[in-house]
Structures are given as C-alpha cells and as structure tokens.
Amino acid sequence: MAAVSLALAGLVLAAAFVGLTVQGNAIAREIAGYRTDIVADQAQHDALAAQIADQKTADYVRQKARDYGYIAPNESIIAVQRDGQASDALARVADDGPSRIGRWLAFFFGSR
C-alpha cells in the first residue's frame, strides 16, 4: 500500500510540474508578445517624433504657408492658365467694354 501511495504521490507531483511548465510557457509567450508590441510602439513613437521635429522647421512652416496661399514679402503670385483660352469672366470683361480705340477717342475728344 505504501508503494501505491508513493507512486500516486509521484504521479500527482509530475502532473503538477507539467501544469507549471505549461503555465510558464504561456507566460513566456505573453512576455514575447508584449516585447513585440513594445518594439512596434517604440518604432511608431520614433516615427512620430521625427515627423514632429520636421514640422518644427522653418522650411516646413514656409511650405505649409505657401500651400494655404500665403506669400513672403517681396514676392508676388502669378497665375498661368494652362488651356490657352481666357476664362469666361475675363472674356466677358473684354467683350463688354468699348474697344481701346473707342476709349482713346472718348478720352481725347469726349463722348458724343
């Protein structure tokens, strides 16, 4: 009977060790997963820190101001229409008024 109880105790002890080993392996996998998450978060943090550092530069601020239509002192904006045709508003202004010669005649001789 003592041998059976000793064998049973050994079996229970072996089962306990197996359970602890399985639990230890699960904890090790969790730790590895958390370390991977930390590395990924650190990489994202570094990328965001680099982006913030870039956005603090004068060149970035100047470019953003240009994107919003601001210009620096002693600069001017020149717009070029690519299709080669005058826009409708410009065409109407040019067509609605008197010709250049008509304006000169009115200027020098008055309107009659």
Side-chain angles (χ1 to χ4, degrees):
M1 180 93 149
V4 172
S5 66
L6 191 58
L8 187 60
L11 191 58
V12 170
L13 190 60
F17 282 127
V18 169
L20 288 174
T21 304
V22 168
Q23 191 177 24
N25 288 340
I27 291 172
R29 281 192 301 274
E30 274 189 65
I31 290 171
Y34 289 142
R35 286 185 178 152
T36 303
D37 291 345
I38 289 171
V39 168
D41 288 344
Q42 186 64 43
Q44 182 181 11
H45 174 269
D46 293 343
L48 291 173
Q51 182 181 1
I52 289 170
D54 181 49
Q55 290 176 353
K56 286 184 177 180
T57 62
D59 289 336
Y60 178 84
V61 173
R62 199 173 298 120
Q63 184 58 44
K64 278 299 172 183
R66 286 185 188 276
D67 292 346
Y68 287 115
Y70 293 99
I71 59 172
N74 301 321
E75 288 185 340
S76 60
I77 296 177
I78 298 174
V80 177
Q81 193 162 357
R82 295 183 186 264
D83 61 2
Q85 298 175 359
S87 66
D88 293 337
L90 292 176
R92 278 193 303 261
V93 169
D95 291 341
D96 290 345
S99 67
R100 184 181 297 177
I101 295 173
R103 287 193 311 256
W104 275 100
L105 289 173
F107 179 74
F108 286 111
F109 302 110
S111 58
R112 295 184 183 185

